[in-house]
Amino acid sequence: MTESPASKPASNGEVCPHARNGLKPERNGFLKSLQQQSRHRDRDRDEEEQAFLATFQQSRSNIPPGFLPSGSGRLPARSPGLAEVHAALHHGGLYNRPFLESFEETPMLVAVLTYMGYGILTVFGYLRDFLRHWKIERCHIAREKEEQKDFVPLYQDFENFYTRNLYMRIRDNWNRPICSVPGAKMDLVDRVSHDYNWTFEYTGRTVKAVINLGSYNYLGFAENTGRCADAAAEVSMVYGVGVASTRQEIGNLDIHEEMENLLARFLGVESAMAFGMGFATNSMNIPALTGKGCLILSDELNHASLVLGARLSGSTIRVFKHNNMQSLEKLLREAIVHGQPRTHRPWKKILIMVEGIYSMEGSIVRLPEVIALKRRYRAYLYLDEAHSIGALGRRGRGVVDHFGLDPRDVDVMMGTFTKSFGAAGGYIAGKRELIDYLRCHSHSAVYATSMSPPVVEQIITSMKCIMGEDGTTIGSDRIRQLAQNTAYFRRRLREMGFIIYGNDDSPVVPMMLYMPAKIGAFGREMLSRNIGVVVVGFPATPIIESRARFCVSAAHSRELLDQALSAISEVGDLLQLKYSRHRIQPSGARPFDDGVYEDVDD
Amino acid sequence: MASGQQWVLVEMVQAFYEAPAYHLILEGILILWIIRLLFSKTYKLHETYKLTEREKEDLIEEWQPDLLVPLISKDHPSLKYNIVSGPPSHKIIVNGKECINFASFNFLGLLDSERVKEKALMSLKKYGVGTCGPRGFYGTFDVHLELENRLAKFMKTEEAIIYSYGFATMASAIPAYSKRGDMIFVDEAACFSIQKGLQASRSFIKYFKHNDMEDLERLLKEQEVEDQKNPRKARVTRKFIVVEGMYINTADICPLPELVKFTNNKFQIL
C-alpha cells in the first residue's frame, strides 16, 4: 500500500528522501508504468501488467544511512506521484535494495549561459580561421606536404572546426603523462606550452604525489608491490613477456586455461574466454553472435565499442532511451509483432545490449527489470560489465551480484580486466556452447595474439584475492572500503551543493560543469591544488552537459578523500559550480553502516 | 424573426430565378458530386490493418528465436587448443611433448632475451602491470611517449602512435582517414585486420591482383577516366592504396619501389 508522505513521520527516514533529487517520473519509464498501475488499480489489468505485478511485493524499508532527509530541506513542489515514486523505489520483489538514481535538471540560467559561451567561442573560432586563412596568424595545424599539395586534403576544414578552436584551448587537461603507478597518488610529468597548447615541452620536472581521482583503479590493484606484482614478476621471468602467436595456433599457454577456469568460477557461469583488449572484445565478438536478420536493441548511451561491434555485425540496430524499461518493452513488442522491416519475416534473434555501469552518467542498469523483460519476450541479453565487475556487489562479482540475481540469466557476460583487476584485456563468459562457438569462430582467437603472461598472472592473483582464495581478507576489505568511500564521497558532494549524476552505489561520480570555460578552469585549478581529475566535454557528452568525472577507489583513504573534497569545494566556490537547488543539510557524522549489504541472501 | 427570415427567403428565390441557366446547372452538378463523395467508401492504397491486443499477444507467444549460437560438434578442429606449458621460445612444450618451434612469430628471437626481461621487470616494479585508464585520462606514461619517439626515429618519420592491440591498429587506422565515399585500392591478399578496417570505413573498395602492378595500373587508369567525367566529385574523393610489407597470407613482399615510382606521388599509400 502506498502511503502519503505527509502521514509518515520523518524521523526514521522511511519517507522517500530522494524527493529532492529531481527524479522525474517521466524520465524513467518504469516509474511511469507503475504510476499508471496505481491509477488503474481497480480496473481490469492488461496481461503484460500482470506479469510485472506478479512480482510486486510489500516494500521493504531499508535505506542506508547517509541518505536521511532533513526536516528543513527545501522540498520542491512535487507531482502527485510522490507516493508512487516511494513505492517504486522499494518494491522488494524485483529489487532487494533501494535503487536511487538522480539526474537533476539543468538550471535554465546555466543552460542559457552555456549556449552563449559556445556561441561566443564559435564566433571567435570563425574570426581565427579567417585570420589564419589570410596568413595574419600563424597556422599550426597539420597540413599536407609541399609535394602533396594537389592531393585532396585528409581533413576537411569544417570537420575540424571544433578541434582547432575549442578543444585546442583546453587541451592541456587531457593526455597528461604520468611516471609512476596510477594508484591513489601519482606523479605527473610536468609539461608547459608556449604556444597555447599547440605543442608541449617537458620541463624535466615531475609533480609529485598528485591525488588521483581519474584512473579506473576501483579496488586499488594498480600497485607495484605486494602479491600481485611479485607473482607477475615471477611469471615474466619464467614465461617471458610475450607469446607471439594466436590462441588457435601455439599461443595458448597453460596459464591462459587456468585463468579462464578461475574466471568462470568467479562469475558463477559455465565457462569463459579472455581476449587481449577490452574494446576489441566487443567489436570482434558481437559480429560473431549476430548477423543479418537479427535485431540489436542497444541503450542510448552505450560505449563506442558496443556501437562499433553492432555496426560491424550487419544487424538492424534500434536504440532505446537510457535505462528506460518502458521504451525497451515498446521496442521489443513492436519488433516481435511486426518482424523485420518491409518483409515482415520474423527476426532470427533479438539481442539486448546494456552496460553494468555507464561511465559517463554513473548510472547502473536496471538489471532485474531487463531480465524480466528478456524472459518474457525471449530475447538474449548482452551485459557489458566493463566498469562494474569488481566494483559492485557484496562479493565484488559485478552488477549481477549487486542485485542478487542468478548469473545464468544473463546470456553473454562481457567485461574488462583493465579497471578493477589492474591488468589489461577483456573477457566473455556464459554457457559452454557459447564459449565453444567463440573459441572456433571469434576473430580474436584466430587472428590476434594472445594475452601476455605477466598480465594473465596479475589477473589470476587479483581475482584470487577478491575471491578470498589466497587466504587473506584483502579482497573483501577492499570491496567494503570502496563501498564506504563511494557513499561518503557522494554524500559529501551532494551536501556541498554540486549536481551529481547517477546511482548512489556507483563509484563513478560525474559532477556537472556545463560551461565550456569551466571545463578548462576546473581541470587546471584542481591540478594546481595537486589533485588530478578527468574532465569531459563534447563529443563524449551532450554539448551543454560537460562534466568532471571522479572515480572513487578503494585505495583512497578517508583523509585523502577529505583533502580532495575540501579542494573541490574551494574550486567550486571559486568557479561557482554549486548549481544544485536541492541542498541536503549535512547529517551528523554518521558512520557507514555495514548493514548495507547484509540483507542479500547468500 | 420570422418576417426577417421570410424576407431573406424571398430575396433568395428571386436570385434563383434571375441566375443564368449555366450557373445553376454547374452548381447543381457540384452539389451532386459533393453528395457522392460524402457517401462513397474510403479508398485505401492497400490493406492496412491494426492488430488487436489479443493477436499481438499471440504473435509474441508464438515467436521462437534461433539459438544464440549454433551448436558446435565436439570434434570441431579448432575447439581443442594446444596447451603450451613453459616459455614459448625455440624449444616449446606442446601438450606435454617437447618440440622445435616453427610456429611462433618470434623472428628475431627476442622472446628469450634476458635484457628484455630485465627491463620489463624493472618497469613492472616501477609502474605495476596495468595502466588503469585510456590514453586521454592519466593512462599515458612517460614510457609510452619515449617508445613513440623511438619508433618515429627508427622508421624515419616525424611522429608515431602506438596501439595496445595489434589487430586493432589497422582496423582503426583505415577508418580514421578514409570515410564514406572515398576510394581504396587494396591488394587481394590483404590480411584480416585490413579487411575489417575496410569494412568499418565504408569506402569504395577495389581489389587488384596480388602483387600485380599492371592490374593496379589498369585500375588507376580507369579511375582517372572516371575522374575526368566528374571533376567536382573527384576533387573531394580521397584515394588510398593499401599494401602490406610482408603478406601473412601468401608470405611474399610487396614491390614497394615500383609502387612508389609509378603512382608518382599522386596517391597516398597506406
Side-chain angles (χ1 to χ4, degrees):
Chain A
M1 297 315 273
T2 59
E3 297 140 320
S4 82
S7 65
K8 264 283 190 179
S11 58
N12 58 358
E14 283 186 12
V15 171
C16 170
H18 281 260
R20 270 158 289 131
N21 63 8
L23 183 62
K24 287 169 111 50
E26 309 83 78
R27 192 142 172 172
N28 174 347
F30 189 70
L31 286 187
K32 193 152 122 188
S33 80
L34 275 181
Q35 269 193 321
Q36 289 168 349
Q37 279 166 17
S38 69
R39 272 186 224 123
H40 301 158
R41 204 171 288 272
D42 299 324
R43 296 195 212 151
D44 293 330
R45 294 194 195 109
D46 210 32
E47 287 174 32
E48 54 192 284
E49 288 177 352
Q50 274 179 351
F52 272 107
L53 287 177
T55 54
F56 195 96
Q57 286 171 28
Q58 192 69 4
S59 66
R60 282 152 56 170
S61 58
N62 184 20
I63 309 177
F67 301 125
L68 294 182
S70 73
S72 58
R74 286 177 291 136
L75 281 172
R78 293 303 301 162
S79 59
L82 176 60
E84 282 86 353
V85 167
H86 170 60
L89 295 173
H90 294 277
H91 57 285
L94 285 181
Y95 288 88
N96 60 0
R97 41 190 289 116
F99 189 87
L100 305 158
E101 228 170 54
S102 78
F103 298 94
E104 192 171 326
E105 278 265 304
T106 314
M108 177 60 83
L109 177 64
V110 174
V112 166
L113 287 175
T114 313
Y115 280 122
M116 269 174 58
Y118 276 108
I120 295 175
L121 282 170
T122 316
V123 165
F124 271 93
Y126 278 122
L127 175 68
R128 281 282 172 80
D129 276 349
F130 176 74
L131 291 177
R132 277 191 209 114
H133 183 69
W134 289 102
K135 309 269 190 288
I136 302 177
E137 187 178 316
R138 205 153 58 102
C139 186
H140 298 270
I141 326 164
R143 297 241 145 210
E144 262 80 13
K145 299 199 287 237
E146 272 308 305
E147 54 264 21
Q148 288 181 333
K149 242 200 334 230
D150 307 325
F151 284 29
V152 180
L154 273 179
Y155 289 107
Q156 298 292 7
D157 281 331
F158 189 70
E159 275 168 17
N160 280 31
F161 182 83
Y162 181 82
T163 316
R164 271 201 309 277
N165 296 309
L166 278 79
Y167 175 71
M168 278 298 171
R169 290 169 183 268
I170 47 178
R171 195 159 82 112
D172 57 316
N173 289 307
W174 292 287
N175 294 311
R176 288 186 180 151
I178 80 177
C179 51
S180 75
V181 178
K185 287 199 176 187
M186 58 184 176
D187 299 335
L188 290 185
V189 176
D190 195 26
R191 60 179 185 171
V192 289
S193 173
H194 298 294
D195 49 1
Y196 300 104
N197 290 345
W198 285 97
T199 57
F200 289 107
E201 276 168 23
Y202 298 99
T203 59
R205 288 190 296 270
T206 56
V207 185
K208 296 244 175 247
V210 176
I211 299 181
N212 185 357
L213 288 176
S215 293
Y216 303 137
N217 184 19
Y218 299 128
L219 289 179
F221 279 111
E223 48 195 10
N224 53 355
T225 52
R227 253 166 219 261
C228 300
D230 291 339
E234 229 178 87
V235 160
S236 69
M237 288 314 286
V238 170
Y239 282 91
V241 185
V243 181
S245 182
T246 68
R247 281 303 282 280
Q248 275 194 358
E249 292 172 9
I250 208 139
N252 184 39
L253 305 175
D254 47 359
I255 47 177
H256 287 128
E257 301 272 324
E258 188 193 333
M259 188 244 306
E260 288 177 355
N261 290 336
L262 183 64
L263 181 59
R265 244 175 345 116
F266 179 75
L267 294 169
V269 289
E270 286 176 22
S271 80
M273 182 169 176
F275 305 93
M277 180 174 166
F279 189 104
T281 311
N282 275 330
S283 53
M284 290 204 261
N285 289 309
I286 298 180
L289 295 175
T290 58
K292 267 197 144 60
C294 305
L295 175 67
I296 291 183
L297 295 174
S298 103
D299 190 290
E300 218 177 2
L301 299 177
N302 266 344
H303 189 253
S305 57
L306 291 166
V307 172
L308 181 62
R311 270 197 344 185
L312 286 176
S313 71
S315 327
T316 315
I317 307 175
R318 300 219 172 124
V319 168
F320 62 92
K321 295 204 189 56
H322 177 58
N323 236 358
N324 188 328
M325 296 300 116
Q326 194 83 343
S327 167
L328 176 58
E329 188 173 8
K330 184 157 146 289
L331 281 181
L332 274 169
R333 286 180 75 81
E334 250 176 55
I336 302 181
V337 163
H338 293 291
Q340 301 190 22
R342 290 189 304 131
T343 56
H344 295 289
R345 286 196 196 113
W347 295 102
K348 291 204 194 124
K349 40 187 156 186
I350 300 185
L351 186 67
I352 306 176
M353 294 206 307
V354 288
E355 287 188 40
I357 294 185
Y358 291 89
S359 60
M360 280 303 152
E361 301 279 310
S363 53
I364 301 183
V365 68
R366 294 174 178 278
L367 197 58
E369 296 169 45
V370 175
I371 291 188
L373 278 175
K374 163 194 112 82
R375 272 208 216 114
R376 167 109 166 77
Y377 294 100
R378 283 182 282 258
Y380 297 113
L381 180 59
Y382 186 102
L383 178 65
D384 178 345
E385 290 204 84
H387 286 267
S388 52
I389 189 75
L392 285 182
R394 189 179 51 99
R395 298 175 305 162
R397 315 283 164 113
V399 69
V400 171
D401 188 32
H402 177 74
F403 288 115
L405 298 166
D406 187 2
R408 286 179 299 220
D409 278 332
V410 181
D411 300 296
V412 189
M413 294 177 77
M414 179 264 165
T416 59
F417 299 117
T418 330
K419 280 101 185 173
S420 302
F421 297 98
Y427 66 85
I428 290 203
K431 295 207 166 48
R432 192 171 303 280
E433 295 85 39
L434 169 71
I435 302 300
D436 283 346
Y437 180 79
L438 284 179
R439 276 188 209 276
C440 304
H441 288 93
S442 159
H443 301 169
S444 169
V446 181
Y447 292 105
T449 322
S450 40
M451 289 167 81
S452 130
V455 171
V456 176
E457 189 57 32
Q458 162 83 10
I459 298 170
I460 293 178
T461 329
S462 59
M463 209 177 283
K464 282 200 177 135
C465 190
I466 297 178
M467 285 163 82
E469 282 182 11
D470 59 343
T472 64
T473 55
I474 297 181
S476 47
D477 286 341
R478 285 188 184 186
I479 296 173
R480 201 160 349 122
Q481 180 73 26
L482 177 65
Q484 285 180 17
N485 284 352
T486 307
Y488 178 68
F489 197 71
R490 274 181 173 265
R491 178 172 60 88
R492 284 288 304 276
L493 281 178
R494 273 238 165 75
E495 283 167 9
M496 285 177 194
F498 294 104
I499 296 186
I500 308 288
Y501 271 14
N503 194 301
D504 280 325
D505 295 317
S506 94
V508 177
V509 186
M511 185 180 96
M512 302 311 289
L513 298 172
Y514 297 116
M515 300 183 197
K518 294 192 186 180
I519 305 175
F522 191 76
R524 289 175 196 148
E525 287 292 324
M526 293 303 284
L527 187 61
S528 68
R529 287 171 178 69
N530 242 16
I531 301 183
V533 297
V534 162
V535 288
V536 238
F538 185 78
T541 60
I543 188 132
I544 58 166
E545 291 177 16
S546 29
R547 56 200 74 173
R549 185 184 71 180
F550 304 112
C551 289
V552 183
S553 155
H556 291 133
S557 63
R558 188 55 76 97
E559 294 76 37
L560 268 181
L561 284 183
D562 283 331
Q563 216 179 325
L565 281 165
S566 63
I568 294 174
S569 183
E570 212 182 301
V571 174
D573 284 326
L574 179 67
L575 297 177
Q576 296 190 2
L577 290 172
K578 300 190 176 174
Y579 299 119
S580 176
R581 286 174 294 201
H582 308 142
R583 295 265 169 133
I584 306 181
Q585 299 302 326
S587 58
R590 197 173 287 266
F592 182 81
D593 182 11
D594 281 327
V596 172
Y597 285 119
E598 264 173 24
D599 60 316
V600 175
D601 293 328
D602 224 328
Chain B
M1 280 80 58
S3 57
Q5 275 176 340
Q6 259 182 335
W7 187 67
V8 168
L9 201 58
V10 162
E11 290 249 334
M12 268 175 64
V13 171
Q14 225 176 354
F16 193 74
Y17 278 125
E18 280 172 358
Y22 67 88
H23 189 100
L24 291 173
I25 294 172
L26 190 63
E27 297 254 19
I29 292 175
L30 282 174
I31 291 175
L32 284 172
W33 190 256
I34 290 173
I35 294 174
R36 184 178 160 224
L37 280 178
L38 279 173
F39 286 113
S40 69
K41 271 168 61 159
T42 47
Y43 170 62
K44 287 210 170 92
L45 275 175
H46 54 261
E47 273 291 302
T48 56
Y49 44 87
K50 280 188 90 61
L51 299 172
T52 64
E53 283 304 312
R54 182 80 244 157
E55 284 172 344
K56 285 191 187 168
E57 291 299 322
D58 283 343
L59 281 171
I60 292 175
E61 286 302 314
E62 285 168 11
W63 180 67
Q64 290 294 340
D66 287 349
L67 287 175
L68 179 59
V69 286
L71 289 172
I72 299 287
S73 76
K74 290 278 177 262
D75 20 299
H76 193 282
S78 320
L79 190 53
K80 286 258 166 293
Y81 290 160
N82 299 319
I83 302 188
V84 172
S85 29
S89 66
H90 306 294
K91 287 233 160 53
I92 189 170
I93 307 176
V94 181
N95 291 335
K97 267 198 335 204
E98 179 156 333
C99 316
I100 305 180
N101 187 0
F102 276 102
S104 307
F105 299 124
N106 189 10
F107 302 129
L108 295 177
L110 284 174
L111 280 185
D112 301 324
S113 155
E114 281 306 316
R115 231 178 88 195
V116 170
K117 285 191 197 176
E118 289 296 316
K119 280 283 180 175
L121 222 66
M122 269 169 56
S123 164
L124 181 76
K125 292 272 179 262
K126 185 170 179 209
Y127 298 108
V129 176
T131 53
C132 289
R135 287 290 291 261
F137 306 148
Y138 305 109
T140 309
F141 286 62
D142 45 353
V143 283
H144 289 142
L145 298 171
E146 198 187 322
L147 176 62
E148 288 176 354
N149 285 337
R150 292 242 184 133
L151 269 175
K153 274 203 217 88
F154 183 71
M155 303 295 288
K156 300 204 180 52
T157 56
E158 281 181 27
E159 281 193 34
I161 186 171
I162 52 179
Y163 285 75
S164 60
Y165 206 49
F167 188 94
T169 312
M170 214 43 183
S172 315
I174 298 182
Y177 293 115
S178 179
K179 313 271 185 222
R180 200 189 281 264
D182 294 334
M183 280 305 309
I184 307 187
F185 299 94
V186 172
D187 193 299
E188 261 175 357
C191 73
F192 191 71
S193 76
I194 295 182
Q195 289 170 18
K196 284 291 137 194
L198 296 173
Q199 193 189 350
S201 73
R202 314 219 172 175
S203 322
F204 294 119
I205 320 277
K206 288 221 163 81
Y207 289 98
F208 62 90
K209 293 203 192 52
H210 177 55
N211 270 351
D212 191 349
M213 290 297 113
E214 280 93 36
D215 201 29
L216 178 59
E217 205 171 335
R218 176 183 61 86
L219 280 175
L220 292 175
K221 286 211 171 56
E222 278 171 20
Q223 183 60 31
E224 258 185 73
V225 168
E226 288 284 328
D227 283 348
Q228 256 132 29
K229 278 195 219 141
N230 196 345
R232 209 150 32 110
K233 188 167 157 218
R235 238 180 310 145
V236 290
T237 319
R238 296 178 271 258
K239 300 175 195 50
F240 297 95
I241 299 180
V242 177
V243 289
E244 277 182 57
M246 183 152 75
Y247 290 91
I248 189 173
N249 289 330
T250 58
D252 43 8
I253 303 181
C254 88
L256 195 59
E258 296 166 24
L259 194 60
V260 171
K261 199 169 50 153
F262 92 12
T263 57
N264 204 5
N265 275 339
K266 282 218 212 68
F267 287 81
Q268 277 153 326
I269 305 183
L270 272 181

